[in-house]
């Protein structure tokens, strides 16, 4: 146990941020893929399903509320900000256990939604704390690879939640799926206790350390200073433009991903289980290899260059694939589109997140990065909600073409920003 010190081991950093994101991926894959597809398959209206997805995702869109609180009380004798991670992991696991009260997801939709929302609230605080720790302890030269392991963990966890738990859901029932998820979360929470950020950290608070804790609390920055610095950091003109491109790109990914899943189930009559398994299993290995490779590329050539390349590729794919929508009824074509689009979010994240991390300032890194991620998540939630409304008017191929055009415009904006005098080395 004494050798598990995060600042002293590159391998431990990769492993830790990988499994911490697995913890986030499992409930996300279960709730926002397996359960969403299950509800679509039970013929609930797009608006109802979209409202469920938006409610579950909403806590991630208000993460900016937690950032200043985490930074205000960031110092701890068990590891700066680690106390937030451990506490929220425990409460999120308890919220997951409350899903055991749900016996019929359709008949008990409000209860199930409430349980998922409570889980999302504490999981989003955990996510904000983990991201702040990553910015503080990971050297800048490793951030691309660490982000790749984060996204890899999210992918593996999401795959397990989507494909694995949808199999449990359909074969054994919702109770057992919720129980498996809760068991995974509790087991990984125990692991968090055994990892220290610095060699001087203790695994648990012990008697006689009150003076040290009081001294650390005295170092916590004032809330007013946190908000002033945060506002100054996120409103800087060039970085604000850069962030808006990232946020709009994530919204675009959400719109087409949600619309395409609905199209497969309702118009092409795929089973919801088949869509969930396809989203969560096939292609995961290839996607994992892609994002790990992308992390290495981001560290070598720069995250900004990789981001432009990713946006250009996704725009070209959407414009081509949606132009050929007449062929979507062929299973190999539809499957190819689904597998390719599974790589979209991880690919964008590997490029965009190191870029956002580089913009974060010391002492407010938790607040600043959490604000960025909250707005990114709000973009995703807005995309899913708007799609539920838009599908009553237009079909998925049309939405896909519009998304492709928007990504092409964003690619052009990044090219323009690259030539601006305000651009600094980390942005080029």
């Amino acid at each position: 146990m004494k050798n598990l010190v995060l600042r002293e081991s590159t391998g431990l950093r990769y492993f830790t941020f990988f499994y911490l994101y697995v913890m986030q991926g499992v409930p996300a894959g279960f709730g926002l893929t397996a359960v969403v597809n299950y509800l679509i398959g039970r013929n609930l209206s797009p608006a109802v399903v979209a409202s469920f997805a938006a409610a579950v995702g909403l806590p991630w869109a208000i993460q900016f509320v937690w950032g200043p609180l985490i930074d205000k009380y960031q110092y701890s004798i068990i590891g700066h900000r680690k106390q937030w991670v451990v506490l929220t992991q425990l409460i999120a696991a308890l919220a997951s256990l409350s899903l055991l009260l749900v016996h019929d997801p359709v008949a008990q939709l409000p209860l199930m939604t409430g349980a998922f929302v409570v889980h999302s609230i504490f999981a989003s605080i955990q996510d904000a704390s983990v991201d702040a720790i990553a910015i503080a302890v990971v050297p800048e030269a490793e951030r691309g690879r660490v982000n790749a392991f984060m996204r890899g963990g999210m992918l593996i966890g999401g795959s397990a939640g989507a494909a694995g738990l949808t199999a449990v859901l359909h074969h054994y029932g919702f109770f057992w799926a919720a129980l498996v998820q809760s068991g995974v979360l509790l087991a990984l929470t125990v692991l968090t206790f055994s990892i220290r950020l610095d060699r001087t950290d203790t695994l648990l608070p012990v008697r006689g350390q009150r003076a040290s804790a009081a001294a650390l609390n005295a170092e916590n920055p004032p809330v007013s200073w946190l908000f002033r610095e945060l506002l100054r950091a996120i409103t800087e003109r060039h970085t604000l433009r850069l962030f808006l491109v990232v946020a709009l790109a994530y919204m675009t990914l959400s719109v087409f991903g949600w619309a395409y899943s609905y199209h497969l189930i309702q118009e092409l009559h795929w089973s919801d289980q088949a869509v969930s398994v396809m989203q969560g299993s096939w292609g995961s290995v290839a996607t994992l290899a892609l994002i790990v490779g992308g992390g290495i590329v981001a560290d070598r050539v720069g995250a900004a260059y990789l981001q432009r390349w990713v946006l250009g590729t996704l725009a070209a794919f959407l414009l081509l694939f949606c132009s050929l929508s007449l062929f979507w009824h062929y299973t190999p074509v539809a499957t190819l589109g689904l597998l390719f689009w599974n790589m979209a979010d991880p690919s964008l994240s590997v490029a965009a997140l190191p870029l956002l991390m580089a913009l974060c300032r010391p002492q407010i890194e938790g607040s600043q990065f959490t604000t960025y991620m909250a707005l990114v998540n709000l973009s995703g939630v807005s995309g899913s909600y708007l799609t539920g409304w838009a599908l009553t008017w237009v079909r998925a191929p049309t939405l896909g073409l519009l998304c492709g055009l928007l990504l092409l415009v964003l690619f052009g904006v990044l090219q323009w920003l690259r030539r601006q005098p305000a651009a600094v080395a980390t942005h080029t």
Side-chain angles (χ1 to χ4, degrees):
M1 294 292 185
K2 293 183 178 180
N3 295 323
L4 296 180
V5 180
L6 210 58
R7 287 190 185 273
E8 298 179 5
S9 172
T10 299
L12 182 62
R13 288 194 288 272
Y14 292 158
F15 169 74
T16 299
F17 291 112
F18 174 82
Y19 91 77
L20 286 172
Y21 267 74
V22 168
M23 291 187 72
Q24 297 179 39
V26 170
F30 181 47
L32 296 176
T33 299
V35 174
V36 162
N37 289 340
Y38 178 87
L39 296 177
I40 293 173
R42 295 306 178 273
N43 295 317
L44 272 69
S45 71
V48 170
V49 180
S51 296
F52 167 78
V56 175
L58 185 60
W60 299 88
I62 59 171
Q63 279 184 305
F64 58 85
V65 174
W66 321 127
L69 182 64
I70 292 167
D71 281 341
K72 170 61 181 173
Y73 300 103
Q74 60 186 272
Y75 297 110
S76 169
I77 56 179
I78 67 170
H80 299 339
R81 300 188 179 93
K82 180 184 172 183
Q83 76 277 19
W84 288 105
V85 177
V86 172
L87 176 64
T88 52
Q89 283 181 352
L90 285 171
I91 300 176
L94 292 175
S96 177
L97 285 170
S98 70
L99 288 170
L100 300 179
L101 299 174
V102 177
H103 305 291
D104 184 341
V106 175
Q108 297 175 282
L109 184 59
L111 174 62
M112 182 180 68
T113 302
F116 270 113
V117 168
V118 172
H119 174 273
S120 291
I121 290 172
F122 290 97
S124 69
I125 303 175
Q126 175 204 345
D127 176 57
S129 307
V130 168
D131 289 339
I133 290 172
I135 296 171
V137 306
V138 176
E140 189 170 349
E142 291 181 9
R143 285 179 178 171
R145 282 162 287 180
V146 167
N147 269 285
F149 276 91
M150 287 177 169
R151 302 313 301 177
M154 192 74 176
L155 172 69
I156 296 300
S159 297
L165 292 183
T166 200
V168 177
L169 172 62
H170 282 273
H171 287 89
Y172 301 102
F174 186 86
F175 175 90
W176 287 102
L179 185 62
V180 171
Q181 172 183 278
S182 302
V184 170
L185 297 182
L186 286 170
L188 293 178
T189 298
V190 172
L191 180 59
T192 303
F193 276 102
S194 66
I195 296 175
R196 294 182 295 163
L197 276 62
D198 290 286
R199 186 163 292 278
T200 55
D201 295 339
T202 60
L203 294 181
L204 291 171
V206 295
R207 183 177 298 178
Q209 292 182 321
R210 292 182 179 178
S212 297
L216 287 173
N217 286 331
E219 297 181 31
N220 287 315
V223 173
S224 58
W225 180 86
L226 283 170
F227 277 102
R228 285 197 306 272
E229 287 299 303
L230 176 60
L231 182 63
R232 186 178 297 115
I234 65 177
T235 56
E236 193 276 323
R237 186 172 63 177
H238 181 78
T239 56
L240 181 59
R241 290 171 176 171
L242 189 64
F243 172 74
L244 287 175
V245 170
V246 173
L248 286 172
Y250 273 102
M251 184 180 72
T252 303
L253 302 191
S254 175
V255 168
F256 181 70
W258 209 95
Y260 190 54
S261 293
Y262 186 85
H263 184 89
L264 290 176
I265 295 171
Q266 288 294 334
E267 296 199 31
L268 298 184
H269 307 296
W270 285 33
S271 71
D272 65 277
Q273 183 176 4
V275 174
S276 296
V277 169
M278 192 68 69
Q279 289 174 319
S281 59
W282 299 107
S284 293
V285 174
T287 305
L288 181 60
L290 174 69
I291 60 180
V292 171
I296 297 172
V297 172
D299 283 336
R300 291 185 178 179
V301 306
Y305 174 84
L306 183 60
Q307 185 187 29
R308 293 193 298 272
W309 188 88
V310 168
L311 286 184
T313 301
L314 294 178
F317 168 78
L318 277 183
L319 293 173
L320 176 62
F321 184 67
C322 294
S323 297
L324 300 174
S325 60
L326 291 176
F327 298 95
W328 287 6
H329 66 279
Y330 292 109
T331 300
V333 175
T335 301
L336 178 63
L338 189 60
L339 295 180
F340 186 92
W341 202 246
N342 283 348
M343 302 180 186
D345 182 278
S347 300
L348 178 62
S349 297
V350 167
L353 298 192
L355 206 59
L356 297 179
M357 282 185 171
L359 302 177
C360 296
R361 301 181 181 182
Q363 284 197 289
I364 64 167
E365 57 263 66
S367 302
Q368 188 174 351
F369 191 74
T370 297
T371 299
Y372 287 147
M373 295 311 298
L375 295 174
V376 163
N377 292 328
L378 178 60
S379 299
V381 170
S382 300
S384 64
Y385 185 79
L386 290 173
T387 306
W389 170 81
L391 284 173
T392 63
W393 300 91
V394 297
R395 298 174 67 246
T398 303
L399 282 177
L401 287 172
L402 294 174
C403 289
L405 290 173
L406 178 56
L407 287 177
L408 195 60
V409 170
L410 295 178
F411 172 79
V413 171
L414 285 182
Q415 291 288 77
W416 175 77
L417 285 176
R418 185 168 64 97
R419 301 185 181 96
Q420 298 306 298
V424 296
T426 55
H427 302 156
T428 56

